[in-house]
Amino acid sequence: MVSFRRYLRIPQELRPSEIFKQDSFSPSKIALQIILLQIFYYLTACFLFYTWAKLCGYELELKKWLFSWELIDFSNSFGIILSLLWLLDSLICVFFLTVIVGRSKLAWDFAITIHAINLVVVWVHSGTLPSISWFVLQALSSFFLVSLGTWTTRWRELKDTFFDGLVDQETLSKPTTNTDSEAIEMRDLEAQK
């Protein structure tokens, strides 16, 4: 059976990591990436909050849950669950950071920018500086987004560099015939320097 996987390859220039690739430090491109990441950060939180509220029977106060720090409290179960949902939001946003930014050197900057904008929004909305528990939650969330975002973007960069064009395990396990054989291009990694 002929594998159509090799015919359905996305051209290199149309991959999401290439569309948003930081070839230049264009302010408009960076602003677009920041806006997209912030939108996905809040949309993911909205989806998680809505789902949790419907499953547990809570009345959804989305504006208060998103832009207020008063509910983040580690002394009650509601505050702990809300904190865990924010941490889950950060874990999901690692995917968006990987796709939109695509560079491991920039993952740190964009992850911290998401949380800095969130701090400003919460501060302006509530009118007061957030509590210590809110800052602890944001520090944990930033840590997850920075460390996992850096790791996934680095993995994606190395995957494109070292493993693009190599044969998959399905092709290796099939016996080779004259009609189905293809030339395997082996790249000399030392010659690419």
Side-chain angles (χ1 to χ4, degrees):
M1 176 172 221
V2 176
S3 174
F4 291 104
R5 191 174 180 190
R6 64 178 166 244
Y7 298 114
L8 296 176
R9 282 194 153 166
I10 298 172
Q12 184 75 15
E13 63 272 2
L14 294 180
R15 291 185 182 170
S17 63
E18 296 296 320
I19 292 173
F20 295 106
K21 191 172 182 181
Q22 292 290 330
D23 291 334
S24 66
F25 290 107
S26 167
S28 61
K29 188 180 278 190
I30 292 172
L32 175 67
Q33 289 174 326
I34 290 171
I35 290 168
L36 285 174
L37 285 173
Q38 203 69 36
I39 287 171
F40 284 126
Y41 181 71
Y42 286 130
L43 282 178
T44 305
C46 289
F47 175 76
L48 291 172
F49 293 159
Y50 176 79
T51 305
W52 183 66
K54 291 300 175 188
L55 288 174
C56 295
Y58 283 99
E59 183 180 334
L60 181 64
E61 299 176 35
L62 194 57
K63 189 175 179 183
K64 191 173 183 181
W65 290 12
L66 278 176
F67 305 122
S68 179
W69 58 266
E70 288 92 3
L71 297 175
I72 304 299
D73 186 12
F74 300 136
S75 64
N76 60 37
S77 62
F78 182 77
I80 292 172
I81 294 296
L82 201 58
S83 300
L84 291 175
L85 288 173
W86 275 114
L87 291 175
L88 182 60
D89 178 36
S90 288
L91 292 176
I92 294 170
C93 284
V94 167
F95 169 75
F96 298 121
L97 183 71
T98 304
V99 170
I100 293 173
V101 175
R103 301 265 321 264
S104 60
K105 289 182 179 181
L106 300 174
W108 160 270
D109 300 329
F110 282 94
I112 296 300
T113 301
I114 289 172
H115 289 87
I117 291 172
N118 190 34
L119 170 64
V120 170
V121 168
V122 168
W123 194 353
V124 167
H125 181 265
S126 65
T128 59
L129 197 62
S131 66
I132 297 297
S133 59
W134 188 88
F135 277 109
V136 168
L137 173 66
Q138 293 304 307
L140 279 172
S141 178
S142 297
F143 173 75
F144 288 147
L145 197 56
V146 166
S147 58
L148 292 175
T150 303
W151 183 80
T152 57
T153 52
R154 187 171 296 149
W155 179 82
R156 186 178 180 118
E157 288 172 338
L158 293 176
K159 180 181 156 263
D160 288 344
T161 304
F162 293 112
F163 304 114
D164 194 31
L166 293 180
V167 179
D168 60 346
Q169 290 295 337
E170 180 182 315
T171 308
L172 286 176
S173 63
K174 287 190 328 185
T176 325
T177 62
N178 290 339
T179 60
D180 197 23
S181 65
E182 294 180 12
I184 299 174
E185 176 186 347
M186 299 299 289
R187 293 186 258 166
D188 187 8
L189 297 177
E190 292 180 5
Q192 291 180 1
K193 290 182 182 179

